[in-house]
């Protein structure tokens, strides 16, 4: 049927698009809903064989674009798709969804500790797994047509972001990318970079939430809208009723100014009448009465999440029916069926189940993975009504709610309490509103003393945040890339990173500012010209005199009487020079001096900008050169003309020399000469993580070869563990006995020498390894009961499982990189750690 509302030209164009996108039209016929404009545009680009970057809000339906890429691949005889996610939990969830769609034989899963059907047509994996595949030149990359980079904004993550850039830079050029991102303010910049390094990339941005968000503020027990709903809401005007309730958010002093200084995140430092905050159980009851459940309460502490559940349970509030309670109990028992009975009490299973049956639960990293999975499952099935969660849920699995409650607009970042950013606010509130279920989502900010209404409104109205690269070359990256491309080509590749792309763009802006300020400097210099002499020289003498007088104040602490006399003599000499200078007699001297002071201050600013330009130009390549220098010095790389016999640093030799003597060698060669990866470098290629070089050095020196499986597990825990603030360097910890202690001493000695080498090379050093959880890991690997281990470590079950899995990851690397005897020890250590709650897996 012809649409008569369209012109002939428009009908022709529509027909051309339909013919061009026959695959897309066929794909749409199988959908239960029509595509949104941004979804159609992205899928159309894929149908034309182009890569895409899709930036859209949480819950907008970005994954349909990835599903179309999978659909396209499955229509070809052998084409494969890799679907990458930043977290194992997301990988597990996506694997389950794709198995339901395509069947178990067509879908695989690789997450480091799970290996299911890796040769399937569609394989879900964490991004690190794909990076490792690329460096290993795995045959699993054969026939790879598409790679989905879900949550690609993780590229900004300080610890793991570099992995995304490595994948983007080093995937075969014929592989097309589907990059899915939250709404970021510089999507076009990121897209420009993708176009530069991958070619044929379209950027599709949507800022429209699929479910509109209504934003409220809870002042005491009264909930009001944040924005004015009288027609001025589009201008983000604060609701007058809210201003009346909180008195404008600030109190003026007698001079009409604020008593406190306004901070970020809506807070102002002031004192005044306190607002009584509603209790969590009262808020849950209020939301239930208003039909605003299910809800996620974002609480920025694990303890606060657990307290929230206890408070609701103690109040007697129940949000579930009898049938729901029965279904909840069956689900929990099914998921936890593999856990030992004696461990259930240790894990607080019965208290946790009581909360579940009332429709309330916590969700945070300290929980056992099995418990978190139950919470996620029940919430998605609408059986849980209230979840108290840390902000990690906002970046994790798919758990949309009708309402999101923010108890505070600040959080502890490990060092201090800081305001949440507009990007974090967007992520948190992005969970509000379930597509296809809710007409609108709701966010509720619980009012706190010190909040300022206009600042809160500003935070809540900013929907985007910038995506900034965290990329930096590592030792493992360097040896892998040099093995593949050689030194010079690697340097060129790294200069195409998003980090350097952004640095170069910022240099353009800085250079523009320098040129603008240079015009002002020229004007100032013209105004301070003196017909009697060089006023720039005269002004420098005035500043010199001022600096000398400032450091020669009577009563100041000088080293000696002689030093004071020397300073006074210098002052006298500069004064005489001033008086002898021709400009000293100028009648306009002070006017010239004012212009000279302006010139000097602006010149200092401009010099700093020029220094920034110098530091940013080639910054990534400079870091790579320093990393290369360290690897050359330690023998992991050697100049190509010197052969490949190097094996890294030497271990304990037959002559009794000290292990890992880190000294400059003949292999050290600066410049742009080509390099070869030595034997020790090939071992380093198989070691990933922040302490890759330390692990490689310890393997080279053989300092762990006498360890038992339990002791090696304890040593791995020492390497991977990142201490809390109370576990500062130098803290004494109980240690496993026997060979562990001398091995730890040698490991710390190697770390210290490496740290010196890195700092000499002008690289950032590292914190020393800490054995804070070594004894607990040793006991676990030796068969101790869970209760004893958790009490000795003072760790939550979820934390213990997380560190144990990182220990297993490192043991696997040692198994692949170590000598046969150590590899066997690592294999037995892995088996000893992977038991009980650590061995639990849903897939």
């Amino acid at each position: 049927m012809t649409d008569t509302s369209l012109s002939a030209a428009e009908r022709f164009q529509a027909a051309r698009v339909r013919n061009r996108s026959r695959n897309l039209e066929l794909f749409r016929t199988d959908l239960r809903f029509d595509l949104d404009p941004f979804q159609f545009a992205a899928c159309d680009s894929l149908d034309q064989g182009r890569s895409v970057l899709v930036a859209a809000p949480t819950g907008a339906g970005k994954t349909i674009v990835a599903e179309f890429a999978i659909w396209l691949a499955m229509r070809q005889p052998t084409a494969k798709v890799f679907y990458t996610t930043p977290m194992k939990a997301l990988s597990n969830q996506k694997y389950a969804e794709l198995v339901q769609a395509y069947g178990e034989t067509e879908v695989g899963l690789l997450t480091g500790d799970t290996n299911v059907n890796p040769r399937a047509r569609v394989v879900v994996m964490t991004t690190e797994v794909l990076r490792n595949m690329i460096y290993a030149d795995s045959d699993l990359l054969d026939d790879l047509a598409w790679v989905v980079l879900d949550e690609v904004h993780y590229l900004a993550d300080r610890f793991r972001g570099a992995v995304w850039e490595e994948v983007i830079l080093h995937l075969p050029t014929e592989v097309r990318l589907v990059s899915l991102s939250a709404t970021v303010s510089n999507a076009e910049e990121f897209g420009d970079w993708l176009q530069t390094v991958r070619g044929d990339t379209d950027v599709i941005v949507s800022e429209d939430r699929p479910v509109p968000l209504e934003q409220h503020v809870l002042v005491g027990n009264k909930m009001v809208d944040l924005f004015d709903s009288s027609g001025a809401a589009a201008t983000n005007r604060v609701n007058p009723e809210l201003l009346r309730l909180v008195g404008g958010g600030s109190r003026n002093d007698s001079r009409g100014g604020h008593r406190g200084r306004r901070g970020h995140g809506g807070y102002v430092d002031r004192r005044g009448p306190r607002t009584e905050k509603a209790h969590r159980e009262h808020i849950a009851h209020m939301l239930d009465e208003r039909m605003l459940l299910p809800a996620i309460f974002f609480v920025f502490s694990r303890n606060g999440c657990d307290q929230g559940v206890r408070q609701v349970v103690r109040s007697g509030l129940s949000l579930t029916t009898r049938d729901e309670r029965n279904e909840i109990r069956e689900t929990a028992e099914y998921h936890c069926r593999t856990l030992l009975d004696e461990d259930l009490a240790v894990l607080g299973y019965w208290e946790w189940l009581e909360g579940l049956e009332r429709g309330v639960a916590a969700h945070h990293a300290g929980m056992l993975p099995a418990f978190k999975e139950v919470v996620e499952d029940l919430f998605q099935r609408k059986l849980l009504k209230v979840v108290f969660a840390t902000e990690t849920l906002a970046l994790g699995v798919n758990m949309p709610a009708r309402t999101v409650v923010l108890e505070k607009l600040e959080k502890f970042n490990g060092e201090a309490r800081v305001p949440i950013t507009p990007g974090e606010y967007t992520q948190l509130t992005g969970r509000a509103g379930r597509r296809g279920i809710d007409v609108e989502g709701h966010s509720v900010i619980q009012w706190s003393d010190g909040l300022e209404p206009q600042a809160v409104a500003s935070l809540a109205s900013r929907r985007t945040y910038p995506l900034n690269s965290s990329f930096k070359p590592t030792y493992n990256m360097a040896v892998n890339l040099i093995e593949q491309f050689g030194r010079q080509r690697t340097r060129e590749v790294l200069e195409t990173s998003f980090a350097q792309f952004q640095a170069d763009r910022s240099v353009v802006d800085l250079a523009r500012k320098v040129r603008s300020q240079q015009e002002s400097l020229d004007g100032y210099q013209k105004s301070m010209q003196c017909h009697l002499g060089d006023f720039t020289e005269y002004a420098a003498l005035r500043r010199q005199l001022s600096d000398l007088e400032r450091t020669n104040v009577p009563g100041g602490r000088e080293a000696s009487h002689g030093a004071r006399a020397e300073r006074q003599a210098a002052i006298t000499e500069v004064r005489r020079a001033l008086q002898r200078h021709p400009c000293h007699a100028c009648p306009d001297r002070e006017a010239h001096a004012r212009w000279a002071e302006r010139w000097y201050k602006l010149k200092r600013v401009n010099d700093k900008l020029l220094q920034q330009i110098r530091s940013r130009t080639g910054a990534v390549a400079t870091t790579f050169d320093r990393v290369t220098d360290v690897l050359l010095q330690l023998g992991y790389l050697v100049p190509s003309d010197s052969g490949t016999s190097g094996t890294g640093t030497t271990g304990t030799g037959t002559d009794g020399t000290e292990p890992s003597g880190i000294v400059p060698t003949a292999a050290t060669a600066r410049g742009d000469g080509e390099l070869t990866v030595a034997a020790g470098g090939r071992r380093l290629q198989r070691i990933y993580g922040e302490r890759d070089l330390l692990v490689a050095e310890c393997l080279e020196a053989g300092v762990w070869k006498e360890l038992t499986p339990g002791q090696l597990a304890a040593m791995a825990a020492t390497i991977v563990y990142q201490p809390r603030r109370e576990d500062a360097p130098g803290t004494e910890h109980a240690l496993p006995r026997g060979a562990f202690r001398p091995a730890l001493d040698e490991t710390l000695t190697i770390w210290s020498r490496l740290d010196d080498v890195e700092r000499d090379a002008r690289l950032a050093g590292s914190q020393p390894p800490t054995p804070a959880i070594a004894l607990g890991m040793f006991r676990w690997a030796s068969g101790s009961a869970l209760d004893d281990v958790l009490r000795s470590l003072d760790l939550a079950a979820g934390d213990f499982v997380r560190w144990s899995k990182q220990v297993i990851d490192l043991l696997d690397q040692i198994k692949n990189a170590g000598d046969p005897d150590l590899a066997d020890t690592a294999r037995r250590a892995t088996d000893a750690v992977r038991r009980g709650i650590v061995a639990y897996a849903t897939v």
Side-chain angles (χ1 to χ4, degrees):
M1 184 175 178
T2 303
D3 187 346
T4 56
S5 66
L6 300 177
S7 68
E10 289 171 331
R11 289 198 298 274
F12 173 78
Q13 178 62 22
R16 210 179 80 164
V17 169
R18 282 195 300 272
N19 290 333
R20 190 186 68 185
S21 305
R22 286 189 294 271
N23 284 325
L24 180 52
E25 290 300 316
L26 188 58
F27 176 71
R28 292 172 71 183
T29 60
D30 294 332
L31 298 177
R32 301 186 307 274
F33 53 87
D34 199 10
L35 296 175
D36 289 342
F38 87 89
Q39 294 170 326
F40 182 89
C43 291
D44 184 53
S45 292
L46 297 185
D47 205 8
Q48 309 316 310
R50 299 174 65 83
S51 297
V52 294
L53 166 64
V54 183
T58 301
K62 296 186 289 289
T63 53
I64 195 70
V65 183
E67 290 170 16
F68 181 58
I70 296 171
W71 186 89
L72 286 172
M74 297 301 280
R75 289 175 62 81
Q76 301 174 34
T78 60
K80 294 196 297 191
V81 180
F82 286 171
Y83 194 115
T84 75
T85 76
M87 289 178 289
K88 294 177 182 178
L90 274 174
S91 294
N92 291 338
Q93 186 179 61
K94 182 54 63 176
Y95 169 77
E97 293 173 5
L98 291 172
V99 164
Q100 192 170 9
Y102 293 101
E104 289 186 1
T105 59
E106 299 289 357
V107 185
L109 177 66
L110 295 172
T111 61
D113 55 3
T114 304
N115 186 326
V116 178
N117 200 13
R119 297 192 176 276
R121 295 278 304 281
V122 183
V123 185
V124 184
M125 63 187 67
T126 52
T127 318
E128 281 86 353
V129 169
L130 177 54
R131 186 272 310 272
N132 298 349
M133 270 190 207
I134 294 171
Y135 283 162
D137 197 21
S138 169
D139 64 348
L140 294 177
L141 296 169
D142 295 345
D143 297 321
L144 182 61
W146 298 92
V147 167
V148 178
L149 297 175
D150 202 356
E151 311 280 355
V152 75
H153 51 270
Y154 262 81
L155 180 142
D157 184 82
R158 186 161 60 100
F159 300 106
R160 300 172 57 210
V163 174
W164 276 258
E165 288 194 50
E166 291 177 76
V167 165
I168 292 168
L169 286 171
H170 304 309
L171 269 174
T173 54
E174 67 273 12
V175 176
R176 285 157 291 178
L177 294 185
V178 181
S179 305
L180 307 179
S181 170
T183 309
V184 292
S185 54
N186 61 334
E188 288 77 10
E189 178 188 44
F190 185 47
D192 287 347
W193 175 67
L194 288 172
Q195 174 72 31
T196 300
V197 297
R198 303 293 309 177
D200 292 339
T201 301
D202 292 332
V203 180
I204 292 92
V205 177
S206 174
E207 297 185 11
D208 296 328
R209 283 180 53 101
V211 181
L213 180 67
E214 296 291 328
Q215 305 192 74
H216 316 282
V217 178
L218 185 63
V219 184
N221 289 310
K222 187 173 179 62
M223 191 163 75
V224 297
D225 292 342
L226 172 58
F227 295 112
D228 186 358
S229 59
S230 63
T235 61
N236 297 324
R237 196 179 89 175
V238 178
N239 183 2
E241 185 180 1
L242 173 60
L243 294 175
R244 285 194 298 272
L245 280 173
V246 301
S250 60
R251 300 166 63 86
N252 292 338
D253 62 20
S254 58
R255 294 167 293 181
H258 289 300
R259 287 184 177 176
R261 179 175 299 173
R262 185 178 302 174
H264 298 292
Y267 281 87
V268 61
D269 183 16
R270 67 177 178 87
R271 297 181 184 273
R274 295 182 60 81
T275 302
E276 290 296 327
K277 296 183 72 170
H279 295 295
R280 289 161 172 158
E281 63 271 22
H282 294 155
I283 300 174
H285 182 62
M286 179 193 308
L287 295 177
D288 187 31
E289 288 184 326
R290 296 183 180 217
M291 306 290 289
L292 293 179
L293 296 181
I296 298 173
F297 285 62
F298 280 111
V299 184
F300 298 119
S301 79
R302 299 176 183 182
N303 188 45
C305 293
D306 295 333
Q307 282 181 351
V309 175
R310 288 194 294 268
Q311 288 163 359
V312 173
V313 170
R314 280 200 304 265
S315 73
L317 180 64
S318 181
L319 302 169
T320 54
T321 65
R322 177 180 295 179
D323 289 342
E324 287 175 331
R325 287 193 289 275
N326 290 336
E327 193 171 349
I328 287 169
R329 190 181 305 109
E330 290 174 4
T331 301
E333 289 174 352
Y334 174 79
H335 277 268
C336 300
R337 67 193 183 282
T338 60
L339 299 178
L340 300 175
D341 290 343
E342 58 265 30
D343 290 344
L344 292 179
V346 176
L347 298 168
Y349 174 82
W350 306 110
E351 296 85 349
W352 171 71
L353 183 59
E354 182 182 4
L356 291 181
E357 291 182 353
R358 290 176 180 269
V360 60
H363 189 287
H364 57 71
M367 293 173 61
L368 191 68
F371 286 11
K372 283 199 295 183
E373 289 166 12
V374 171
V375 171
E376 293 158 10
D377 183 18
L378 294 175
F379 197 81
Q380 289 164 3
R381 288 159 53 193
K382 309 182 189 67
L383 294 171
L384 278 183
K385 315 301 180 182
V386 171
V387 169
F388 294 94
T390 54
E391 71 270 25
T392 54
L393 177 60
L395 300 172
V397 295
N398 181 28
M399 281 180 63
R402 178 166 294 172
T403 303
V404 162
V405 179
L406 301 180
E407 293 195 346
K408 293 182 179 179
L409 294 181
E410 62 177 12
K411 66 176 186 177
F412 186 72
N413 67 355
E415 297 178 356
R417 298 206 69 83
V418 296
I420 65 173
T421 65
E424 288 168 333
Y425 182 89
T426 301
Q427 285 284 352
L428 296 169
T429 57
R431 290 290 172 193
R434 299 164 298 176
R435 189 169 190 174
I437 301 175
D438 297 320
V439 179
E440 59 195 15
H442 298 265
S443 70
V444 178
I445 298 169
Q446 197 169 6
W447 189 263
S448 300
D449 291 314
L451 284 175
E452 200 279 322
Q454 191 56 55
V456 173
S458 175
L459 175 73
S461 62
R462 293 167 63 190
R463 285 281 170 263
T464 59
Y465 57 101
L467 178 63
N468 294 315
S469 172
S470 61
F471 181 85
K472 60 180 179 181
T474 66
Y475 298 110
N476 170 273
M477 185 192 305
V479 292
N480 274 296
L481 293 181
I482 288 173
E483 174 82 0
Q484 284 190 318
F485 305 119
R487 180 191 209 175
Q488 190 56 38
R489 173 63 182 140
T490 295
R491 204 173 186 277
E492 293 169 1
V493 168
L494 295 179
E495 285 183 320
T496 65
S497 66
F498 188 44
Q500 191 59 56
F501 186 83
Q502 288 190 308
D504 291 343
R505 286 202 166 188
S506 70
V507 163
V508 172
D509 293 335
L510 288 173
R512 188 181 299 117
K513 193 170 184 179
V514 165
R515 286 195 299 272
S516 173
Q517 291 183 348
Q518 187 61 50
E519 293 177 6
S520 298
L521 284 170
D522 293 342
Y524 294 164
Q525 195 159 30
K526 186 176 181 180
S527 297
M528 72 181 187
Q529 284 179 355
C530 179
H531 66 288
L532 296 177
D534 184 352
F535 202 89
T536 303
E537 184 180 81
Y538 180 74
L541 287 170
R542 286 174 63 122
R543 282 194 300 276
Q544 184 181 356
L545 178 61
S546 176
D547 292 342
L548 285 168
E549 289 176 336
R550 195 163 43 244
T551 57
N552 199 43
V553 178
R557 299 177 63 184
E558 291 284 351
S560 65
H561 174 76
R564 287 197 298 272
E566 186 178 333
R567 185 70 53 81
Q568 187 59 50
I571 289 173
T572 301
E573 184 179 344
V574 174
R575 280 178 179 161
R576 287 174 180 164
L578 269 176
Q579 292 167 357
R580 290 195 299 265
H581 198 282
C583 293
H584 193 66
C586 179
D588 298 322
R589 182 183 67 197
E590 294 307 312
H592 293 329
R594 285 192 291 272
W595 285 111
E597 188 61 25
R598 292 175 188 171
W599 178 89
Y600 174 69
K601 288 180 178 178
L602 186 58
K603 180 71 164 56
R604 283 194 305 178
V605 171
N606 229 32
D607 287 345
K608 288 181 179 178
L609 290 177
L610 288 169
Q611 179 57 39
Q612 288 184 44
I613 289 174
R614 285 191 290 270
S615 67
R616 295 184 188 186
T617 303
V620 174
T622 299
T623 302
F624 169 71
D625 289 340
R626 293 171 181 172
V627 166
T628 302
D629 285 345
V630 170
L631 293 172
L632 274 164
Q633 182 172 333
L634 302 181
Y636 289 90
L637 297 172
V638 294
S640 292
D641 58 3
S642 70
T644 60
S645 59
T647 58
T649 56
T650 58
T652 304
T654 56
D655 59 352
T657 54
E658 196 171 22
S660 192
I662 301 172
V663 293
T665 69
T668 303
R670 297 180 181 274
D672 293 328
E674 277 305 334
L675 303 173
T676 299
V677 178
R682 294 195 185 92
R683 177 181 284 112
L684 180 57
Q685 287 177 319
R686 300 190 290 274
I687 302 168
Y688 304 92
E690 290 188 48
R691 298 192 185 276
D692 49 3
L693 190 56
L694 175 61
V695 173
E697 283 289 295
C698 290
L699 295 180
E700 289 288 346
V703 299
W704 299 340
K705 62 184 180 182
E706 301 299 328
L707 298 179
T708 65
Q711 291 168 342
L712 185 59
M715 186 62 71
T718 300
I719 297 296
V720 302
Y721 181 66
Q722 295 175 0
R724 295 170 295 187
R725 290 183 305 156
E726 56 267 31
D727 291 323
T731 303
E732 291 294 326
H733 297 286
L735 301 174
R737 296 184 179 181
F740 180 86
R741 299 187 185 202
L744 176 62
D745 289 340
E746 291 182 274
T747 300
L748 292 174
T749 298
I750 291 173
W751 166 82
S752 178
R753 292 176 177 172
L754 274 179
D755 194 55
D756 290 341
V757 170
E758 289 177 313
R759 293 182 189 278
D760 288 344
R762 290 181 293 166
L763 290 168
S766 60
Q767 291 297 314
T770 174
I773 65 170
L775 183 60
M777 190 60 63
F778 171 78
R779 289 173 175 169
W780 176 254
S782 301
S784 292
L786 177 65
D787 187 23
D788 294 338
V789 172
L790 293 182
R791 275 194 286 105
S792 69
L793 291 178
D794 191 26
L795 276 183
D799 290 327
F800 175 67
V801 170
R802 187 172 72 256
W803 291 122
S804 296
K805 292 195 172 183
Q806 291 192 35
V807 165
I808 289 171
D809 285 344
L810 179 54
L811 290 171
D812 282 340
Q813 294 170 39
I814 294 171
K815 180 180 65 178
N816 294 328
D819 61 56
D821 289 341
L822 187 61
D824 182 63
T825 304
R827 188 177 299 106
R828 288 186 287 146
T830 299
D831 293 340
V833 175
R834 189 183 281 129
R835 66 180 181 90
I837 61 172
V838 178
Y840 172 86
T842 55
V843 178

